């Protein structure tokens, strides 16, 4: 089965219950929202109010195409949420859902990029479309919340967003109300009146007075009325039952336990409690967990008699319990047989694993306390989550492993990737150390090399990244597109043009074959950096245009990683207006999420461009670049470019430029000192390593700087690379 068939139930409205009540007054309210072209239709009411049923039945009578997303707790992961929403919309309208999902994954669910791409796709939709997000209250990720609000603001007029939620979303709803762009259905609107209650209960024997009394007792609450309907038919005294019935939350708990569960057969009660550990289930899964047979028939029979068991597809294959009912069943199971609950989770885990759904298998392994088996499953599932951009989901699973994650090399490595992607480079490096501590003898470190290089580049330490890359054999260079891209980036920032071109061309080919579009675009961006540093303006312009055009073709025009390409296109272009626009766009992209190397490079290139155009905004950009590079151990060619630019514009005194020849040959002792300069060692440390005095090292450093024609250590390192001395 895998995750596909189970996930498909998320993208369809729930089928109508057996006792469907048409609620014309609410249908009219929703119709006015869509007909009035409201940007948002908000259905906000407590649990059990009938929100999902109302929307599903209303939409069944509407002519518009419908995209439906049933949210689960795990959907707070931005990549997971936007991927499912793209798929839901793609099923309703012919949009390029696969292209959208590639952007989602490649940007790690960046709301700015995703919403921009999604709105562009929706703008091309000819007919009206209603997009429903059910149980939206389960989303607690701030980035997703910002993205959905932005989607509501930017959606074309033919698209209406409908949110069903227990609590209001953290949007600026007042602004939408003032603009008459919000239609609302609240808890008071959803209360059943007597006529509607009669249809819901399907009990014509009740007179109007009793119905009015029951609606008063339950305050028209759908869940309370459904519970009442479960017992009314067998009640000997309907009037007495209604007089005793209440509809508050505590009564629901007491009622379900004392009245409903006490009256069902022992076998049904056992199955209800045992399957309560599951969020969704089919007959085969019920059989696996309960150790019984006939699960499919039992589900259909139970669903026909009990509206608290909800069908998720029209084939009546997958079901779930009403949330209130599920919570009560779980509470009862933990009280009735707490010692058996872990075993039930273990059975569920085994079933999901056999079906290829490792995500659900891990969740149940964690629930039953089998952390080591959960960790072993992450060896397979974790890389898929990283490749799919679902790092928040992965982090959540790793967090639940606790100390066990520190004993498993692959878990430590995946933790490192999660920290790196979140911009916590020091923590990522710590996890690499933990991985090595946990590694057995002979452990292959190849999978960790790309992470190590990326961390080193992110911290602006070109020397360390270059040293790591040079330890990788030619055969391992093609291990993966991310390793090859990282290696090419290290060579590019170090000014090693030949090695950079070879690695980056290979990386672009590999990423294209694997359809990893962000990696492909990054490889093209770094190729433009190489051409620019090599002094070939025409080649740099062409390479930058290729990177930008490719990014646009993939829907990645807003990807922060292409900022250097826009900056290079600005600096090498001949049209002043276009150059100014490209520089402005490059700056806006780079400031969103770039590493220090890329940000400093873009600031420098854009400052260079704007000063050349006579724009006073250029010089402050160079000052900002200086501050950025000040926190980089070794900014490589980016630092050299800044020094050269400052010198050319007279912004600061600096000796800069690519060193063509040595003013004087270095001695053997000076070469020995030079080899230590890229390392993060003080001059005192270098003296200790070479068994010489501190003054000797200082003397050698002064000679090195003079012979290389530079003024400081960083410039000396880059000049030495240019001359192939390092």
């Amino acid at each position: 089965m895998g995750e596909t068939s189970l996930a498909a139930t998320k993208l369809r409205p729930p089928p109508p219950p057996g006792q469907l009540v048409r609620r014309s007054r609410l249908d009219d309210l929703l119709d006015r929202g869509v007909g009035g072209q409201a940007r948002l239709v908000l259905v906000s009411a407590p649990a059990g109010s009938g929100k999902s049923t109302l929307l599903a039945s209303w939409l069944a009578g509407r002519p518009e195409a419908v995209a439906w997303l049933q949210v689960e707790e795990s959907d707070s992961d931005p990549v997971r949420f936007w991927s499912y929403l793209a798929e839901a919309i793609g099923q309703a309208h012919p949009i390029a859902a696969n292209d959208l999902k590639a952007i989602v994954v490649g940007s790690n669910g960046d709301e700015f990029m995703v919403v921009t791409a999604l709105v562009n796709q929706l703008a091309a939709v000819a007919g009206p479309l209603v997009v429903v997000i059910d149980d939206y209250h389960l989303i607690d990720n701030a980035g997703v919340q910002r993205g959905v609000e932005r989607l509501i603001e930017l959606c074309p007029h033919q698209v209406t967003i409908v949110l069903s939620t227990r609590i209001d979303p953290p949007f600026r709803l007042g602004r939408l109300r003032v603009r008459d762009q919000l239609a609302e259905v609240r808890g008071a609107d959803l209360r059943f009146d007597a006529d509607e209650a009669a249809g819901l209960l399907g009990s014509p024997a009740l007179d109007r007075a009793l119905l009015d009394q029951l609606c008063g007792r339950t305050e028209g609450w759908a869940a309370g009325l459904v519970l009442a309907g479960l017992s009314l038919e067998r009640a000997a005294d309907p009037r007495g039952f209604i007089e005793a019935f209440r509809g508050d939350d505590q009564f629901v708990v007491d009622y379900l336990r004392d009245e409903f569960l006490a009256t069902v057969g022992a076998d049904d009660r056992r199955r209800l409690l045992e399957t309560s550990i599951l969020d969704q289930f089919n007959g085969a899964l019920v059989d696996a967990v309960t150790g019984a047979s006939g699960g499919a028939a039992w589900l259909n029979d139970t669903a026909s008699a009990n509206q608290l068991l909800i069908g998720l597809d029209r084939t009546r294959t997958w079901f779930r319990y009403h949330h209130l009912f599920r919570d009560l069943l779980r509470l009862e199971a933990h009280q009735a047989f707490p010692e058996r609950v872990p075993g039930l989770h273990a059975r569920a885990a085994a079933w999901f694993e056999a079906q290829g759904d490792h995500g659900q298998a891990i969740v149940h392994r964690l629930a039953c306390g089998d952390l080591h088996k959960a960790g072993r499953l992450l060896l397979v599932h974790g890389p898929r989550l990283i490749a799919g951009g679902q790092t928040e989901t992965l982090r959540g699973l790793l967090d639940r492993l606790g100390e066990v994650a520190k004993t498993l090399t692959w878990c430590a490595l995946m933790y490192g990737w999660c920290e790196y992607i979140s911009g916590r480079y020091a923590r990522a490096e710590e996890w690499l150390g933990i991985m090595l501590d946990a590694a057995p003898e002979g452990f292959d470190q190849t999978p960790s090399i790309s992470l190590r290089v990326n961390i080193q580049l992110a911290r602006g330490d070109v020397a360390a990244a270059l040293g790591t890359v040079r330890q990788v054999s030619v055969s391992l260079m093609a291990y993966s597109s991310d390793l090859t891209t990282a290696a090419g980036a290290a060579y590019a920032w170090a000014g090693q043009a030949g090695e950079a071109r070879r690695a980056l061309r290979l990386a672009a080919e590999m990423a294209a074959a694997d359809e990893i579009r962000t990696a492909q675009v990054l490889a093209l961006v770094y190729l433009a950096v190489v051409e620019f540093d090599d002094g070939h303006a025409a080649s740099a312009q062409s390479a930058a245009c290729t990177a930008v055009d490719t990014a646009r073709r993939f829907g990645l025009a807003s990807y922060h990683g292409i900022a250097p390409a826009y900056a290079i296109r600005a600096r090498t272009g001949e049209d002043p207006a276009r150059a100014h626009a490209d520089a402005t766009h490059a700056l806006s992209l780079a400031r969103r999420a770039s590493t220090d190397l890329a940000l400093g490079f873009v600031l420098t290139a854009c400052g260079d461009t704007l000063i050349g155009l006579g724009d006073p905004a250029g010089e402050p950009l160079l000052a900002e670049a200086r501050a950025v590079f000040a926190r980089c151990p070794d900014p490589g060619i980016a630092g050299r470019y800044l020094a050269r630019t400052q010198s050319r514009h007279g912004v600061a005194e600096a000796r800069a430029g690519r060193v063509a020849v040595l003013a004087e040959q270095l001695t053997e002792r000076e070469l020995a000192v030079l080899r230590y300069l890229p390392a993060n060692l003080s001059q005192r440390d270098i003296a200790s390593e070479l068994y010489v005095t501190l003054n000797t090292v200082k003397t050698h450093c002064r000679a090195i700087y003079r012979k290389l024609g530079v003024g400081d250590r960083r410039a000396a390192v880059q000049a030495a690379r240019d001359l192939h001395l390092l």
Side-chain angles (χ1 to χ4, degrees):
M1 178 198 72
E3 298 185 30
T4 306
S5 61
L6 183 57
T9 63
K10 295 166 57 66
L11 307 180
R12 288 191 291 263
Q19 293 294 126
L20 177 63
V21 180
R22 298 297 309 189
R23 309 182 72 184
S24 337
R25 60 185 178 87
L26 295 180
D27 289 349
D28 291 344
L29 197 159
L30 293 168
D31 286 342
R32 287 195 296 274
V34 174
Q37 294 185 345
R39 289 187 177 276
L40 172 63
V41 175
L42 180 64
V43 183
S44 181
S49 299
K51 301 183 291 295
S52 301
T53 301
L54 167 69
L55 289 174
S57 61
W58 165 66
L59 289 168
R62 294 283 307 183
E64 296 90 355
V66 176
W68 183 284
L69 174 58
Q70 175 65 55
V71 172
E72 298 172 315
E73 290 181 359
S74 57
D75 293 336
S76 275
D77 185 304
V79 171
R80 186 178 173 92
F81 174 84
W82 293 112
S83 294
Y84 275 130
L85 187 61
E87 180 64 26
I89 294 173
Q91 290 188 11
H93 254 297
I95 65 167
N98 288 336
D99 289 344
L100 275 174
K101 285 189 282 187
I103 294 171
V104 171
V105 172
S107 67
N108 289 306
D110 178 278
E111 68 268 15
F112 183 86
M113 284 185 59
V114 171
V115 172
T116 299
L118 181 55
V119 169
N120 288 338
Q121 291 273 0
L122 290 173
V125 171
L129 172 67
V130 177
V131 180
V132 180
I133 307 177
D134 195 15
D135 282 339
Y136 185 75
H137 57 273
L138 294 175
I139 298 297
D140 59 8
N141 181 279
V144 174
Q145 301 278 21
R146 289 192 301 270
V148 173
E149 183 173 20
R150 187 165 183 263
L151 175 63
I152 292 166
E153 292 176 351
L154 299 180
C155 255
H157 66 86
Q158 71 270 26
V159 179
T160 305
I161 306 295
V162 180
L163 298 185
S164 171
T165 178
R166 296 181 189 176
I167 58 175
D168 282 1
F171 300 164
R172 291 162 290 185
L173 296 177
R175 185 166 69 170
L176 291 172
R177 289 191 188 100
V178 169
R179 296 175 177 177
D180 200 24
Q181 294 174 339
L182 174 66
E184 299 174 83
V185 177
R186 296 286 176 178
D189 302 311
L190 285 162
R191 291 174 182 168
F192 279 70
D193 60 25
D195 292 334
E196 292 168 339
L200 181 67
L201 296 171
S203 181
L206 291 178
D207 61 31
R208 179 71 184 215
L210 286 177
L211 283 171
D212 286 339
Q213 186 178 7
L214 182 58
C215 286
R217 290 263 175 197
T218 61
E219 295 185 349
W221 185 38
L225 290 168
V226 169
L227 292 175
L230 294 174
S231 295
L232 264 176
E233 289 187 0
R234 63 174 182 270
D237 179 12
R239 182 180 297 276
F241 170 81
I242 290 173
E243 288 178 351
F245 189 85
R246 302 193 311 278
D248 57 84
D249 291 347
Q250 184 56 49
F251 181 80
V252 167
V253 172
D254 295 340
Y255 174 82
L256 284 171
R257 178 186 293 117
D258 301 335
E259 296 294 328
F260 178 71
L261 287 179
T263 60
V264 300
D267 182 64
D268 284 343
R269 186 178 190 276
R270 177 183 61 81
R271 289 205 213 200
L272 288 168
L273 297 183
E274 290 176 342
T275 55
S276 69
I277 68 161
L278 304 166
D279 290 326
Q280 299 179 0
F281 37 83
N282 62 8
L285 179 53
V286 167
D287 290 344
V289 170
T290 63
S293 59
W298 176 76
L299 284 172
N300 277 282
D301 292 343
T302 304
S304 298
N306 184 352
Q307 291 191 48
L308 297 179
L309 179 61
I310 301 169
L312 297 175
D313 53 28
R314 298 192 180 278
T315 62
R316 294 178 70 84
T317 301
W318 284 93
F319 297 83
R320 70 169 175 87
Y321 292 122
H322 189 287
H323 297 142
L324 294 172
F325 192 34
R326 179 202 63 192
D327 293 345
L328 181 278
L329 292 175
R330 287 180 177 177
L331 178 64
E332 189 70 13
H334 279 280
Q335 292 177 349
F337 43 73
E339 73 288 347
R340 291 188 54 221
V341 172
L344 296 173
H345 280 291
R347 291 180 183 179
W351 187 85
F352 279 114
E353 188 173 354
Q355 301 301 311
D357 190 340
H358 293 93
Q360 284 294 317
I362 291 169
V363 168
H364 286 285
R365 286 293 178 201
L366 291 170
C368 71
D370 195 344
L371 302 184
H372 283 87
K373 281 191 177 178
R376 285 195 289 273
L377 286 171
L378 270 174
L379 175 61
V380 177
H381 190 57
R384 295 174 183 168
L385 291 175
I386 291 176
Q390 296 186 43
T391 52
E392 290 202 17
T393 297
L394 176 57
R395 182 192 292 277
L397 296 175
L398 290 167
D399 285 346
R400 292 179 63 183
L401 286 179
E403 291 299 307
V404 170
K406 296 181 178 180
T407 67
L408 302 172
T409 53
W410 57 89
C411 287
L413 177 59
M414 288 186 285
Y415 240 132
W417 274 113
C418 289
E419 297 289 7
Y420 168 77
I421 292 168
S422 300
R424 293 184 283 268
Y425 308 131
R427 284 291 298 152
E429 203 157 26
E430 287 177 20
W431 276 106
L432 278 176
I434 293 170
M435 180 201 74
L436 292 176
D437 290 341
E441 188 176 349
F443 173 69
D444 181 8
Q445 295 189 39
T446 304
S448 69
I449 294 174
S450 60
L451 175 58
R452 186 177 302 280
V453 174
N454 276 301
I455 292 171
Q456 291 163 338
L457 290 176
R459 299 180 70 175
D461 195 344
V462 172
L466 188 62
T468 301
V469 167
R470 283 179 170 167
Q471 297 172 18
V472 180
S473 66
V474 175
S475 60
L476 286 180
M477 190 65 74
Y479 177 84
S480 64
S481 60
D482 65 295
L483 174 55
T484 314
T485 303
Y491 284 129
W493 289 125
Q496 309 297 293
E499 293 93 333
R501 288 189 182 96
R502 284 191 291 273
L504 292 170
R505 286 166 182 163
L506 175 60
E509 292 173 5
M510 294 173 64
D514 296 337
E515 296 185 351
I516 306 176
R517 290 175 174 173
T518 48
Q520 183 180 351
V521 168
L522 276 178
L524 296 174
V525 169
Y526 285 125
L527 281 169
V529 171
V530 172
E531 297 302 324
F532 183 74
D533 180 63
D534 235 10
H536 305 304
S539 298
Q541 170 76 191
S542 176
C545 288
T546 297
V548 168
D549 292 344
T550 303
R552 285 177 172 170
R553 190 169 72 251
F554 292 160
L556 296 172
S558 301
Y559 175 39
H560 64 83
I562 65 170
Y566 277 107
I568 291 169
R569 197 171 77 169
R571 182 64 186 85
T572 57
E574 297 180 356
D575 181 349
R578 179 176 173 180
H580 198 284
D582 278 346
T584 302
H585 188 55
L587 289 168
S588 67
L589 293 179
R591 286 199 167 106
R592 281 178 43 223
S594 295
T595 62
D596 282 347
L597 283 178
L599 175 59
F601 177 86
V602 170
L603 289 168
T604 303
C606 293
D608 194 3
T609 299
L610 294 180
I611 291 174
L613 293 174
D615 189 329
E619 190 168 324
L621 295 178
L622 300 186
E624 187 180 348
R626 283 198 301 274
V628 169
F629 288 145
R631 56 182 182 251
C632 297
D634 176 11
I637 63 166
R640 184 185 64 201
Y641 176 36
L642 173 62
R644 186 171 67 236
T645 302
Q646 291 180 139
S647 178
R648 179 158 34 84
H649 292 296
V651 173
E653 288 298 324
R655 287 183 288 177
R658 182 185 294 273
V659 178
V661 294
L662 276 169
E664 183 182 337
Q665 291 298 317
L666 300 180
T667 67
E668 286 297 324
R669 298 306 293 172
E670 289 165 353
L671 284 171
V673 171
L674 175 64
R675 294 186 186 104
Y676 280 97
L677 294 187
N680 189 24
L681 296 175
S682 67
Q683 289 185 339
R684 188 177 300 278
D685 292 333
I686 295 172
S688 177
E689 290 287 325
L690 294 175
Y691 301 100
V692 297
T693 67
L694 174 59
N695 283 334
T696 298
V697 171
K698 289 181 176 179
T699 299
H700 288 327
C701 284
R702 285 194 294 270
I704 291 169
Y705 299 166
R706 176 177 56 80
K707 293 177 180 181
L708 291 176
V710 298
D712 57 38
R713 181 170 176 168
R714 289 180 178 177
V717 170
Q718 186 55 51
R721 289 196 197 108
D722 293 340
L723 294 167
H724 305 289
L725 296 176
L726 288 175

